[in-house]
Amino acid sequence: MTINRRAFMKAGGLALVSLGADPIFLDRAAYALTSARGAVAGKKTLVCLFQRGAVDGLSMIVPVGDPWYWQERQRIALPKEQLIPLDGMFGLHPRLAPLKPLWDQHSLAIVHAVGSPSTTRSHFDAQDYMESGTPDVKSTPSGWANRYCNHPEEHSSTPFRAVAFGPQLPRTLAGSAPALAIDDLRTFGMRAAQASGEQKLTRAFEELYQGAATGLVASSSAESFEAIKMLKTANPTLIAPANGANYGKNKLATSLQQIAQLIKSDLGVEIAFVDVGGWDTHVNQGADQGQLAGRLDDLAGALGAFTTDLGERMRDVVVITMSEFGRTVKENGTSGTDHGHGTAMMIMGGNVQGGKVYGKWPGLAPEQRYEGRDLAVTTDFRSVFSEVLQGHLGPANISQIFPGFDRPAKVGMFS
Amino acid sequence: MRRLIPVLGLGLSLAASAPAQVPMTAIDSARHVLNRLAYGAAPGQIDAIAHEGVLKWVDRQLGFNDVHDPALSDLERSFDVLQVSRLEMQQMLQNNQAKNQKAQAVGDSTTRQKLLDQLRMEQQGDRRSLQAMIGQLQTVTMARAVESDHQLDEILADFWTNHFNVFINKGQDRAYFADYLEKTIRGHALGRFDDLLIATAKSPAMLFYLDNAESVADGSDVILAAGRAGRGGRGIFPNPRAGVFPPNGIDPMSPTAQQQAKARAPKGLNENYARELMELHTLGVDGGYTQQDVIAVARILTGWTIDRRNASYTFRDPVHDNLPKIVLGQKFDGAHAEDEGMRLLKMLASEPATMHHVSAQLCARFVNDVAPDGCIDDAVHAWKKSNGDIREVVRAILHSPDFWAAANVQGKVKTPLEFVASALRAVGATPDSTPRLAQRVAQLGEPLFQHATPDGYGERQQDWVNSGALLARMNFAVQLASGRMPGATVNLDNVVPLTDDHAVLVEAINTAVLGGLMSSQTRQTILKEIADVPDPRMARALAVGFAIGGPEFQRQ
């Protein structure tokens, strides 16, 4: 194992500098080395990153070619010269620079003007709809990713099939299929001064909960104890970042590092979830400096470290970013933006056909906007999710995962 | 007939005459009200309340007869944060910011870092620093939850703190929050809803948190006269027209300062508060308002801002939007300045949608995660009859058949705060004077006053039950029972007598800690796991840890 990992790191490092038309992850020789370690279950992983608070998609992926962007954002438009050109029409926020290599290597795709058909501008309703996967239907009990995990064949042997990082289990993963919530891998488990004490406590509580717990408490605790056993053998937190990856110190970076550790430990993670807040920029949003820039710095830094760390293994991993809606086209009276409609998503890794901004651009002229004020939605978020599930994880029963959404439009990211 | 159930609590003797289909004894009733109106039972309290009469105790909690708690008053006096004014807190914040800015401006990076570290050390060491004050606020909240005799006050303070959530770490809110909690929330927790709503609307804490302090009539910079300028805290820039005072000593009349201020000054509306006011505080998201209503409400509330000279609410007419507006079909002609905001808030407070929305949330807190319709109806009825007297609304909920329905008893999972406070009460533990106990609540997922988004912490089991959180609760329980928990003093001798007889021990724990609800599986598992523990102290600590960390204690 040690030898293989060292070889992998070396190969991964090489892969990083071999720029070409292929995605960086397609170095087959190195991939063969990692496969030799033997995976316990399906190898593909989807990482969902929720930007809670409604990110200003127009600042992440800036429509430089649309004159209304400049017109409506006198105080908060990004300085033109600082934008990282993508395709003439769009430019990347300078703080997303760590993601530019992925774009150049066709491993980062962007979908713009994406969002929900629901008209709500409530954070909480809109997040709920994006997580349940059923816009305007509040009664849906489960999350879309949990419904995906309801197909029985794969991953049945692992509690790690669906893992959320954070103190709470997100709505996206709520439902009848098992899903773990881990705030921090390093403190997950029973703690005692001695190993024997730890074992005794673990055994006792497992029995207590098996005996007398009901409902959600019973299922959640059962998953905990199963996970503890597997972590004890795999010990993922000992795995150091590879390829010189430098994770920051923020919570998102730590979570992504731990997701990478789980992936490398081959514990069968199929869907990982992590969220990051701070996008609700009503006041002094800033441009290349300031509030939003700081958040994007953390985001891109963590994602850059994650993709570098996984290196070759990124061929099995797709990361998708999402946010409940976007923000007003016109800046508000306090140098910020209010709740809007369409926004942008980023999809990176796996076999994604990157280096391209997908989705029809609706334009920012007042008459082209949604209700005269917001970026219109031209791509339903469920079309993106469907395509990512099928294009990356494999066949999925879309009408069961997104009830009432039978014919997703083709976005084209994986064709 | 179900209406009779609470009456049973009036005395033990009545319980015997209960109809067969009503299984609740006075003991059951006492346990139930202690779970829902209080942070669980302290040792012996279930018996005491069953004996006193459950409804008598409930009425006392509702304040019909005062709860006298001199011990708590003494305790509260030891917390400086409860005596310090908002203005003093603001000065502390500004001093910190000024020192910080000065350190940040140092060119040499080693010296800069040294200065910043030094500042941090100073802050941590100073008993009267802003950071210490914020820590005290969390500490006193834990102490009150565990020790106050007026438990319903604490429960409602927690409820309203989340209903009108403010994130304590947002810029100026570090200075404003203590006053918000003490006066705005706690001062109105059992008062009238419209008073509470207006108090939050005018609180510097809310004005800053949801940006209304910055929202001005569109195009109002034409009104800007040469005025004061200066930089505010993180996340906000001053509105010179709104009388924001320079906190940092830069000459406000200097051309640079004025230029900066003008460039940064708000130029128009900010919808943030207007939307959350209707979505979260009053009507509810399905309460029938539109985007146009959001904009109209924001316009009505322009000019409602903070005067930083005295850290207080003020109305600034020059930035108020004087044009006519329409909200929910009601005309506001625009000529009434601050009064139209007052009219708006009173109107929102008495809308049927508001009564329904807030009542449903109270029912979710007191009765069931999914608020039962009957209980909501009872609450709304009381709301109408009493013009929004919170005491009467809560009273109606507690008298509703749904509150006493068997399906709703033990039907809710404790939040982290409820779990920690009830665990301490169950073992008669005393929180110490440090924020360490609050830090444990934070580790379990509920850092007090630090919910960043305006919806506040959730009330439903799916908000709190998950694999990681349950393990953290088990660890907490073991640590607490072993007496090794920083932040609390435990003496199990006061709760469960020491004995070599494990069966007697476990039964004593069942009565004292689990209120008699220990399942036979739990009993067997605990007996088995302590069988090989010869030391009676260790066996007792382990068994109490299992009881508190086990499944029964997670419910209420």
Side-chain angles (χ1 to χ4, degrees):
Chain A
M1 172 96 85
T2 318
I3 293 165
N4 274 346
R5 185 173 300 132
R6 282 170 59 202
F8 161 61
M9 282 165 64
K10 197 171 158 215
L14 283 173
L16 272 180
V17 293
S18 68
L19 306 181
D22 274 354
I24 53 170
F25 319 115
L26 290 182
D27 186 324
R28 298 196 180 276
Y31 179 64
L33 280 174
T34 61
S35 310
R37 296 166 62 209
V40 293
K43 283 188 66 87
K44 302 281 186 190
T45 304
L46 173 62
V47 180
C48 300
L49 194 159
F50 207 120
Q51 296 173 280
R52 292 196 194 273
V55 69
D56 183 28
L58 297 176
S59 286
M60 283 202 304
I61 314 297
V62 179
V64 278
D66 196 315
W68 283 96
Y69 170 78
W70 307 102
Q71 169 80 21
E72 297 288 48
R73 296 188 159 206
Q74 303 282 336
R75 293 166 146 203
I76 61 163
L78 273 301
K80 219 170 209 161
E81 65 284 359
Q82 291 211 29
L83 283 166
I84 301 163
L86 292 179
D87 63 357
M89 176 62 195
F90 295 101
L92 200 60
H93 191 290
R95 300 299 186 97
L96 293 179
L99 304 181
K100 182 61 173 14
L102 296 169
W103 172 271
D104 292 337
Q105 292 140 20
H106 304 284
S107 294
L108 166 64
I110 287 157
V111 186
H112 220 320
V114 64
S116 169
S118 172
T119 61
T120 186
R121 288 190 183 90
S122 153
H123 289 299
F124 313 107
D125 271 3
Q127 286 178 24
D128 193 65
Y129 297 151
M130 190 163 274
E131 300 204 70
S132 70
T134 57
D136 288 324
V137 180
K138 287 191 183 175
S139 55
T140 312
S142 53
W144 65 269
N146 190 283
R147 290 195 295 278
Y148 169 79
C149 291
N150 262 313
H151 69 90
E153 321 79 58
E154 293 171 46
H155 292 261
S156 52
S157 60
T158 173
F160 286 93
R161 182 168 176 189
V163 190
F165 275 79
Q168 290 167 341
L169 188 72
R171 179 92 156 87
T172 306
L173 285 178
S176 56
L180 289 173
I182 297 177
D183 193 32
D184 191 326
L185 262 185
R186 293 166 295 191
T187 56
F188 189 86
M190 294 305 304
R191 290 194 298 278
Q194 282 149 3
S196 61
E198 224 172 86
Q199 279 165 21
K200 185 182 180 68
L201 291 177
T202 310
R203 188 185 60 225
F205 276 115
E206 184 172 11
E207 212 173 308
L208 283 170
Y209 276 79
Q210 270 172 3
T214 51
L216 191 58
V217 173
S219 56
S220 306
S221 55
E223 290 148 24
S224 313
F225 291 111
E226 219 180 315
I228 288 175
K229 284 170 207 158
M230 285 182 75
L231 286 176
K232 207 167 150 42
T233 321
N235 238 328
T237 54
L238 298 180
I239 301 173
N243 309 320
N246 183 13
Y247 287 96
K249 278 190 178 157
N250 58 71
K251 178 80 180 159
L252 174 66
T254 305
S255 296
L256 282 174
Q257 178 176 1
Q258 295 186 349
I259 290 172
Q261 289 170 331
L262 289 181
I263 290 171
K264 291 180 189 179
S265 304
D266 292 319
L267 290 167
V269 178
E270 190 168 22
I271 296 192
F273 183 100
V274 60
D275 52 19
V276 57
W279 308 102
D280 195 19
T281 47
H282 284 278
V283 174
N284 293 316
Q285 176 170 313
D288 55 321
Q289 303 286 329
Q291 215 185 123
L292 181 60
R295 307 305 303 160
L296 291 174
D297 217 27
D298 286 352
L299 177 78
L303 282 172
F306 179 77
T307 50
T308 304
D309 181 12
L310 282 176
E312 193 55 32
R313 189 71 189 261
M314 271 304 289
R315 75 195 312 283
D316 293 325
V317 179
V318 162
V319 182
I320 176 169
T321 68
M322 61 196 73
S323 193
E324 67 265 29
F325 43 70
R327 311 192 68 83
T328 45
V329 173
K330 188 176 168 58
E331 65 195 12
N332 69 12
T334 55
S335 302
T337 44
D338 289 320
H339 299 185
H341 199 47
T343 187
M345 289 181 175
M346 300 187 281
I347 298 96
M348 57 202 88
N351 284 324
V352 70
Q353 306 295 301
K356 186 178 168 187
V357 179
Y358 291 86
K360 179 176 171 286
W361 182 248
L364 294 181
E367 68 280 6
Q368 295 170 320
R369 294 178 204 163
Y370 174 73
E371 294 183 351
R373 65 179 240 157
D374 307 327
L375 175 62
V377 168
T378 56
T379 302
D380 190 309
F381 73 88
R382 293 168 295 180
S383 294
V384 180
F385 290 1
S386 302
E387 202 162 301
V388 168
L389 286 174
Q390 292 178 312
H392 179 60
L393 294 182
N397 183 349
I398 294 305
S399 61
Q400 184 236 320
I401 297 167
F402 299 108
F405 185 64
D406 295 329
R407 264 175 295 182
K410 186 179 162 78
V411 185
M413 297 172 294
F414 287 89
S415 53
Chain B
M1 181 155 59
R2 286 163 77 206
R3 289 263 178 205
L4 286 174
I5 304 167
V7 177
L8 300 179
L10 285 168
L12 280 166
S13 57
L14 278 176
S17 63
Q21 65 267 46
V22 180
M24 256 193 164
T25 64
I27 294 284
D28 291 334
S29 307
R31 188 197 307 110
H32 186 50
V33 296
L34 279 164
N35 275 333
R36 300 297 172 84
L37 278 66
Y39 285 103
Q45 210 182 1
I46 294 177
D47 280 345
I49 289 174
H51 193 71
E52 172 190 352
V54 173
L55 279 196
K56 216 165 138 192
W57 183 82
V58 169
D59 275 351
R60 222 149 44 82
Q61 290 294 318
L62 280 165
F64 291 109
N65 300 302
D66 279 349
V67 176
H68 295 290
D69 194 348
L72 185 74
S73 311
D74 283 350
L75 181 89
E76 287 177 337
R77 264 190 290 279
S78 67
F79 286 95
D80 292 334
V81 69
L82 303 185
Q83 339 293 338
V84 174
S85 76
R86 207 161 52 204
L87 189 59
E88 286 172 90
M89 294 278 277
Q90 184 179 271
Q91 278 156 357
M92 289 181 203
L93 179 63
Q94 287 167 352
N95 286 342
N96 290 350
Q97 286 167 341
K99 282 185 192 164
N100 203 49
Q101 266 174 18
K102 214 170 139 190
Q104 292 282 10
V106 173
D108 171 53
S109 67
T110 321
T111 320
R112 183 171 62 231
Q113 198 49 51
K114 220 170 132 186
L115 279 170
L116 286 171
D117 289 346
Q118 206 178 322
L119 271 178
R120 202 173 308 121
M121 293 296 285
E122 250 177 61
Q123 274 269 306
Q124 278 166 358
D126 181 1
R127 264 191 68 248
R128 288 187 58 90
S129 70
L130 188 70
Q131 198 182 341
M133 293 292 151
I134 288 172
Q136 278 190 22
L137 204 59
Q138 297 169 329
T139 308
V140 74
T141 300
M142 293 310 302
R144 283 164 162 165
V146 175
E147 301 199 71
S148 171
D149 286 340
H150 209 159
Q151 285 278 299
L152 181 58
D153 251 10
E154 300 308 319
I155 299 291
L156 281 168
D158 178 58
F159 174 84
W160 293 122
T161 303
N162 284 305
H163 183 82
F164 293 106
N165 185 61
V166 165
F167 179 44
I168 198 171
N169 291 340
K170 180 175 175 180
Q172 294 287 120
D173 278 318
R174 290 166 61 77
Y176 301 151
F177 191 89
D179 179 85
Y180 179 70
L181 180 66
E182 288 306 304
K183 302 219 172 74
T184 311
I185 297 292
R186 296 180 69 90
H188 298 89
L190 271 167
R192 283 172 54 103
F193 181 77
D194 54 357
D195 290 341
L196 173 59
L197 180 70
I198 290 166
T200 58
K202 287 187 169 177
S203 68
M206 186 64 81
L207 286 164
F208 184 86
Y209 174 56
L210 290 179
D211 308 322
N212 202 71
E214 294 281 280
S215 182
V216 300
D218 274 329
S220 48
D221 64 324
V222 286
I223 301 162
L224 175 62
R228 292 172 291 265
R231 292 197 49 193
R234 195 182 63 187
I236 190 174
F237 291 99
N239 172 359
R241 290 146 297 153
V244 173
F245 198 72
N248 60 355
I250 292 177
D251 175 9
M253 300 305 283
S254 75
T256 328
Q258 285 203 26
Q259 229 171 24
Q260 274 179 3
K262 188 162 181 170
R264 284 168 166 157
K267 301 252 192 291
L269 281 188
N270 183 308
E271 296 171 6
N272 201 8
Y273 177 64
R275 181 183 307 281
E276 307 305 359
L277 170 64
M278 290 194 282
E279 176 177 335
L280 300 172
H281 300 170
T282 60
L283 304 172
V285 70
D286 299 318
Y289 61 91
T290 64
Q291 175 61 33
Q292 290 317 306
D293 289 324
V294 171
I295 292 171
V297 166
R299 289 173 55 209
I300 287 173
L301 293 173
T302 47
W304 288 51
T305 188
I306 304 163
D307 185 343
R308 290 225 187 141
R309 288 167 304 187
N310 52 19
S312 290
Y313 163 80
T314 189
F315 178 74
R316 294 284 161 190
D317 198 52
V319 296
H320 178 68
D321 183 330
N322 289 314
L323 298 171
K325 306 114 187 156
I326 295 174
V327 178
L328 303 174
Q330 299 291 311
K331 283 187 184 147
F332 290 75
D333 65 17
H336 295 281
E338 184 184 16
D339 285 350
E340 67 176 13
M342 292 298 285
R343 190 188 138 205
L344 167 80
L345 291 169
K346 284 180 184 161
M347 178 182 110
L348 288 174
S350 58
E351 281 288 321
T354 300
M355 297 182 198
H356 191 273
H357 173 228
V358 178
S359 294
Q361 286 187 316
L362 281 164
C363 291
R365 172 63 187 78
F366 285 108
V367 181
N368 189 305
D369 286 5
V370 183
D373 287 339
C375 176
I376 300 174
D377 289 346
D378 291 347
V380 169
H381 181 72
W383 188 308
K384 282 182 186 154
K385 224 172 114 184
S386 68
N387 278 325
D389 184 332
I390 295 164
R391 198 187 304 272
E392 291 309 317
V393 175
V394 172
R395 196 173 142 77
I397 292 169
L398 305 182
H399 284 254
S400 162
D402 286 319
F403 179 78
W404 299 94
N408 294 329
V409 175
Q410 294 296 117
K412 280 177 69 72
V413 169
K414 293 171 182 172
T415 64
L417 172 60
E418 288 165 349
F419 169 70
V420 170
S422 65
L424 263 81
R425 284 170 65 79
V427 297
T430 324
D432 71 8
S433 59
T434 70
R436 288 180 296 186
L437 191 63
Q439 282 159 9
R440 295 308 301 263
V441 179
Q443 282 164 12
L444 297 182
E446 194 180 5
L448 296 179
F449 320 130
Q450 291 172 63
H451 191 84
T453 52
D455 52 338
Y457 286 113
E459 184 55 50
R460 303 160 310 162
Q461 66 165 342
Q462 58 265 40
D463 296 322
W464 302 112
V465 175
N466 62 66
S467 38
L470 284 174
L471 291 173
R473 289 185 184 206
M474 297 170 209
N475 280 313
F476 171 90
V478 170
Q479 211 187 357
L480 176 71
S482 70
R484 284 183 288 111
M485 210 183 66
T489 320
V490 189
N491 185 354
L492 290 181
D493 289 339
N494 301 334
V495 189
V496 184
L498 214 52
T499 169
D500 283 325
D501 185 332
H502 285 174
V504 171
L505 173 74
V506 174
E507 184 46 34
I509 292 171
N510 178 26
T511 307
V513 177
L514 294 183
L517 292 181
M518 187 183 283
S519 71
S520 62
Q521 297 101 314
T522 296
R523 187 187 303 269
Q524 280 157 24
T525 304
I526 294 179
L527 283 171
K528 194 176 84 189
E529 289 296 336
I530 62 173
D532 61 348
V533 181
D535 177 358
R537 284 190 176 276
M538 271 187 68
R540 181 178 64 178
L542 207 52
V544 170
F546 289 146
I548 292 175
E552 289 93 338
F553 197 79
Q554 307 314 314
R555 309 193 77 83
Q556 59 173 351

